[in-house]
Amino acid sequence: MRVNDKELYVNEILGLLEQEYPQARTTLLYKTPFQLLVAVVLSAQTTDKQVNKITSSLFEEVSGPDDVLSLGITLLKEKIKGAGLYHQKSQQIMETSRLLCEKYDGVVPQNRKELMSLPGVGRKTANVILGTAFDIPALAVDTHVSRVSRRLGLTAGKNVLEIEKDLCRVVPTQKWSSIHHRLINHGRQICQARKPFCEHCLLKLYCKYYTENKELPKI
DNA sequence: AACTCGGGGCA
DNA sequence: TGCCCAGAGTT
């Protein structure tokens, strides 16, 4: 497929996704970049429903890293109980808050290197923050995005870096944060790993696994 | 690339 | 019960 055809193809897919998911905002609750950071850290191995339950009360008291410090590790752990892996996450959030206050004047940095130096913040979380809170072009590739991208033939890569690189070539990154949420919603609601609802999928004619009747990658 | 970490919701 | 969830860190 030529590059122009590929762009056309991607634009058609993005148009259908926009039609399916008109609202282009995150399902995660947050008002400050720091709250987004905490919400994304909590979301590992935890359903967004559970994350929202925790953050809706936590964020009444916590809006910046200094609030976490004054809360203390014991109360913090108590408040995020219910998230998966909350023992290590409470320590990571505490340490990250301490680093932000001491080295970054309490402000969440706006570049990937510094973000990833914070405990609990990996490449995916860093890219979500850059793209969503700061509107900086950054593609956050998680399991849903990688699965949907592979099924639609937007990438041939398997690991996240390859997929991120492939997507950068075909997706308009200035609109990424909205596209990101749509790909995720599609992956969670329709294009599920084990039981995809292909009959309800607006994109099925673009899916090589559907049209070629191949076995779906189940990631 | 494989492995560990592990609370809670849901069938 | 068994499976899964908007991952990161270490080896």
Side-chain angles (χ1 to χ4, degrees), chain A residues 37-46 51 54-55 58-59 80 83-84 89 93:
Chain A
L37 189 156
V38 173
V40 179
V41 169
L42 290 178
S43 67
Q45 298 304 96
T46 309
V51 172
I54 294 170
T55 53
L58 179 67
F59 291 168
I80 70 171
K89 283 180 187 171
I93 292 171

Side-chain angles (χ1 to χ4, degrees), chain A residues 48-66:
Chain A
D48 60 334
K49 195 174 173 184
Q50 195 70 7
V51 172
N52 282 336
K53 193 189 296 180
I54 294 170
T55 53
S56 63
S57 88
L58 179 67
F59 291 168
E60 287 179 4
E61 303 175 36
V62 171
S63 61
D66 50 328

Side-chain angles (χ1 to χ4, degrees), chain A residues 92-179:
Chain A
Q92 288 171 335
I93 292 171
M94 183 59 67
E95 178 65 9
T96 285
S97 302
R98 195 184 62 76
L99 279 171
L100 286 176
C101 288
E102 289 183 0
K103 292 191 179 179
Y104 297 98
D105 202 23
V107 178
V108 178
Q110 302 196 15
N111 66 80
R112 186 181 292 127
K113 188 178 178 182
E114 289 179 331
L115 282 171
M116 287 181 66
S117 75
L118 301 168
V121 179
R123 188 177 183 89
K124 187 243 166 182
T125 304
N127 282 0
V128 170
I129 294 169
L130 291 174
T132 304
F134 299 133
D135 212 22
I136 294 171
L139 311 190
V141 176
D142 59 20
T143 54
H144 294 299
V145 172
S146 67
R147 181 175 68 251
V148 173
S149 300
R150 285 171 59 190
R151 288 178 177 175
L152 289 174
L154 298 180
T155 173
K158 292 194 83 171
N159 69 55
V160 287
L161 278 181
E162 288 172 357
I163 295 172
E164 188 178 319
K165 204 173 159 188
D166 286 342
L167 288 179
C168 281
R169 279 200 285 267
V170 296
V171 168
T173 53
Q174 65 272 22
K175 292 195 211 166
W176 175 248
S177 65
S178 59
I179 293 169

Side-chain angles (χ1 to χ4, degrees), chain A residues 11-31:
Chain A
N11 281 333
E12 286 179 25
I13 288 177
L14 296 182
L16 286 171
L17 273 176
E18 189 168 356
Q19 187 180 322
E20 189 171 4
Y21 306 101
Q23 81 295 0
R25 46 189 187 80
T26 176
T27 56
L28 291 174
L29 263 40
Y30 73 98
K31 289 176 188 162

